[in-house]
Amino acid sequence: MQNLSLILVPVLAAQKAAGDGLIKPLGHHELLLVLVQLSLLLLVARGLGELMRRINLPPVVGELLAGVLLGPSLFGLLLPDLQAHIFPKSQEQSNLLSVISWLGVLFLLIVTGLETDLKLILRKGKTALLISLGGIIIPFITGFGLGWLLPDSFLADPEKRLVFSLFIATAMSISAVPVIAKVLMDLNLIRRDIGQVTLAAGMTDDTIGWILLSVVSGLASSGKFDLGTIFHSVSAAILFLAIAFTIGRTIVDQILRWVDDYVGGIAASMSVVLILALSAAALTHGLGLEAALGAFVMGILAGQSRRFSNEAGHMLEVFTASFLAPIFFASAGLKVNLLALLVPQTLIFGLIVLAVACVGKFTGAYLGSRAGGLSHWEGLAMGSGMNARGAMEIVVATIGLSLGVLNPQMYSIIVMVAIVTSLMAPPLLRWCLSKVVMGEEEARRLEQEEQDSRSFIKQIHRILIPTSGGPNIQLAAQLVGYMAHQNSIEVTSLYALSDKQPQSKARRMEATQVKDTAAEQALAAVTEEMQLPADTTLQTKTESGRNKAEVILNEANKNYDLIVLGASEQIRPQKALFNLLVDRVVQESPCATMVVKSHLPQPKGEICKIPQQQLKKILVPTVGTEYSKNAVEMASTIAAQTGALVTIVNVINLPQVEYILYEQRSLAPVKEIAHDMLEQQAEIARNLGADVKTYILQGSSPEREILKFAKTQEVDLIILGSNIRMVTGRVFFGHRVDAILSKAHCPVAVITVP
């Protein structure tokens, strides 16, 4: 105690001597004001945003108007003392709200980045680039000319007219992808060709716009215009983007993979993206670029990773849209004074700025569209959509005001341009897009996308394949390899261990060595059998736990889409369909499962390589359910790779006499239903690239007819779709599936979906 006093006394004396050097906590009044400000801004912004949504306008317009109404334009006009008390002109108080507003900017750009589809931009590359260049170059030229000709009273510093003109040119070049996307979604046109091109052009436009903004912001921060400053800003932007989209993409993907594998969960996924985005924003800000660029780029990189949770992205979007973005837009509107815009000179030049902004963007996008091969009406739609400035224009205006490039008067004009162009976009887009005719190729693509959205096989992106190395799992691995050549998937091969160890130290070491060798052999056997394409991500793991089933299920809870299991190679317990481990995993799996029973002879030794199975005929029995459709899709995907023939069969028989009317005692209606059902599922198989035949079998025992057909037709693989019937202690798919599993002469795979 005495020693503690000897330490504390000098420290307290030093603090007392420092006096005013101590950091004081946030004052009671300051905290009260910021809480009142946030609640009032959020209430009015969300209320007006929902009102705009109800009348089919972008909510951002209402959120901006909320700030305008709470600013000097209305609240300050009607109750000036109260408005000045709640929103005092105090730098310290303003800074508190500004920090939250800047978080809104960064979160908004992270979300925008997550929704930016680089593949879409590349797919529509030439057309999107031409539209984007037209939509940037012409508005940039007209905006620069406008900035050069505006009176000195609109400049924060008349000595920096060149930087001001460049900033106005950049502001005129920006488009608002969120506004465009919202309108396209409302019109159900987001997946149309014109919608895809509009989004791709808008994304390209925004990406180039942020680079321009970073360069101009760098010039504004340096306070001078010289070649050295330009070179620094441009080279820093190019270097950052080059590293981000090469090494950075891999690093971000690996970080997200690690977090997903070893931490897991939506919260962890969201946290790591926010950490990376804020760090990237700090990096770009430190490089003299705009912090918004770092957040935007990191959002793109996270969105491209397969391991970023869609649920985390959705939660981030909801949080941003419900709290941070409305606060940002409303606080941006607080700085707008509509009364100042009513001054004749300001009103005239404000309308001139609006006209230049609309004409420049509309003309540039239209000319770019025509050069890219789009029609007249498609070009008009592009001009209408790209003219929306919305959120992005507000971000630019906020940055300009904070850098001292814009004065309050010019800031108000740019915010007004953002509001008016966002109001113009929806009705103009609706009118122009109603004139655009859909072509046959586009109709086929949309139909295919609609089918893919309902497809079982197209939703499989991550596969878990637990292995012990036997023939069943080796055959299953071959099937996974065929799938990987048809669909882009990630595969994780897992060797599960139980923690139960022999008692003595020597026996524990010996057992560990044996298990390590067994794990290595089992994982190698499966990896070799899969023969995955070079671009497929394969991960091998050895994990231990209380028992093997828990190890597999714990791993399966990390957002897998399918678990592929091998049935038991040994004599199964009486109370299990496969074995206790497989039965439990199938029953408790959080995702779809496929269990493969090879019916191959058991080779000598625990692990022995099986020959590559030649699949020429695949049989899929169907009863028309969703489970049967899943089996058809799996069979067709494998057949498309192997060249096998898919045979889909349905077994019919006449119902008992006492249950039918006299005029219905015929198989004709039953055959007609079976034929229609088979044709429907055959069409699914053809769309997946398989050759298909259909048969209607007749008999009182469907399993007997299926087994007899499989043997006479020399089928190489039977794929069944089924649901799990809850029976204590074992998996039960139904007597027919059980019979086929036990009596088939060839390999059988059973697919279930929870």
Side-chain angles (χ1 to χ4, degrees), residues 411-467:
Y411 173 85
S412 297
I413 290 175
I414 292 180
V415 172
M416 179 269 293
V417 169
I419 294 173
V420 173
T421 53
S422 297
L423 287 168
M424 290 168 58
L428 283 174
L429 262 176
R430 286 189 183 91
W431 179 59
C432 295
L433 289 172
S434 66
K435 308 289 184 180
V436 177
V437 180
M438 185 187 298
E440 290 183 12
E441 184 180 344
E442 181 182 4
R444 283 196 299 271
R445 177 181 66 79
L446 291 173
E447 184 181 357
Q448 186 62 53
E449 287 184 359
E450 178 63 25
Q451 290 174 357
D452 289 350
S453 69
R454 300 193 303 266
S455 168
F456 163 73
I457 202 73
K458 295 295 183 182
Q459 306 309 313
I460 295 175
H461 304 295
R462 292 188 68 203
I463 295 178
L464 175 64
I465 177 165
T467 176

Side-chain angles (χ1 to χ4, degrees), residues 3-4 12 92 166 271 352 393 398 424-425 430 443 534 590 603 636 649:
N3 291 336
L4 182 61
L12 293 171
E92 291 78 9
L166 287 170
S271 294
I352 291 172
E393 188 88 326
T398 303
M424 290 168 58
R430 286 189 183 91
S636 305
V649 300

Side-chain angles (χ1 to χ4, degrees), residues 71-365:
S73 306
L74 183 65
F75 190 24
L77 182 65
L78 298 177
L79 300 167
D81 293 338
L82 183 59
Q83 201 273 345
H85 183 72
I86 296 175
F87 299 102
K89 292 183 179 179
S90 161
Q91 188 61 50
E92 291 78 9
Q93 193 70 47
S94 178
N95 287 342
L96 292 174
L97 191 58
S98 294
V99 169
I100 300 170
S101 296
W102 269 105
L103 283 175
V105 173
L106 296 178
F107 272 60
L108 183 65
L109 288 164
I110 294 168
V111 170
T112 304
L114 290 173
E115 295 176 352
T116 300
D117 189 346
L118 288 182
K119 292 180 181 177
L120 170 63
I121 294 175
L122 294 174
R123 189 164 66 245
K124 300 292 181 181
K126 181 184 175 183
T127 305
L129 183 60
L130 287 170
I131 296 168
S132 180
L133 288 176
I136 284 178
I137 293 171
I138 293 179
F140 193 89
I141 293 170
T142 56
F144 184 85
L146 176 68
W148 200 257
L149 296 173
L150 281 172
D152 288 350
S153 58
F154 290 88
L155 277 67
D157 185 353
E159 298 296 323
K160 297 179 181 177
R161 182 173 287 276
L162 183 57
V163 173
F164 171 79
S165 299
L166 287 170
F167 208 92
I168 295 298
T170 303
M172 297 296 103
S173 304
I174 292 288
S175 291
V177 172
V179 174
I180 297 168
K182 178 65 172 64
V183 174
L184 292 171
M185 283 189 284
D186 289 343
L187 296 174
N188 198 25
L189 295 168
I190 196 107
R191 298 307 303 172
R192 286 279 305 272
D193 281 357
I194 186 66
Q196 297 262 293
V197 175
T198 305
L199 276 180
M203 291 169 187
T204 309
D205 195 312
D206 268 8
T207 305
I208 297 172
W210 285 118
I211 297 171
L212 283 173
L213 180 62
S214 291
V215 172
V216 175
S217 297
L219 295 175
S221 298
S222 67
K224 56 183 179 179
F225 184 89
D226 57 55
L227 291 177
T229 304
I230 294 175
F231 177 77
H232 171 268
S233 298
V234 173
S235 59
I238 292 173
L239 182 64
F240 171 74
L241 291 171
I243 294 174
F245 289 111
T246 52
I247 303 169
R249 176 184 293 181
T250 305
I251 292 172
V252 170
D253 188 56
Q254 290 301 321
I255 290 172
L256 287 169
R257 283 175 185 278
W258 187 90
V259 170
D260 193 27
D261 287 338
Y262 295 102
V263 182
I266 296 172
S269 186
M270 184 188 295
S271 294
V272 74
V273 167
L274 290 177
I275 292 166
L276 291 170
L278 294 173
S279 300
L283 175 62
T284 51
H285 192 70
L287 290 172
L289 302 172
E290 190 48 54
L293 179 65
F296 178 60
V297 170
M298 196 53 62
I300 293 175
L301 297 182
Q304 297 300 302
S305 174
R306 291 179 185 171
R307 291 299 188 91
F308 179 64
S309 165
N310 291 330
E311 291 84 358
H314 178 67
M315 284 183 63
L316 188 58
E317 184 178 354
V318 169
F319 179 70
T320 303
S322 61
F323 176 55
L324 289 175
I327 293 295
F328 162 63
F329 292 130
S331 60
L334 278 176
K335 303 179 183 74
V336 177
N337 189 349
L338 292 179
L339 299 176
L341 289 176
L342 296 178
V343 175
Q345 184 190 31
T346 306
L347 180 61
I348 292 169
F349 281 100
L351 293 174
I352 291 172
V353 172
L354 176 62
V356 170
C358 294
V359 171
K361 180 63 83 170
F362 198 99
T363 304

Side-chain angles (χ1 to χ4, degrees), residues 552-564:
I552 295 169
L553 290 167
N554 286 339
E555 182 66 25
N557 279 307
K558 296 177 181 177
N559 299 318
Y560 286 91
D561 304 305
L562 177 69
I563 306 176
V564 178

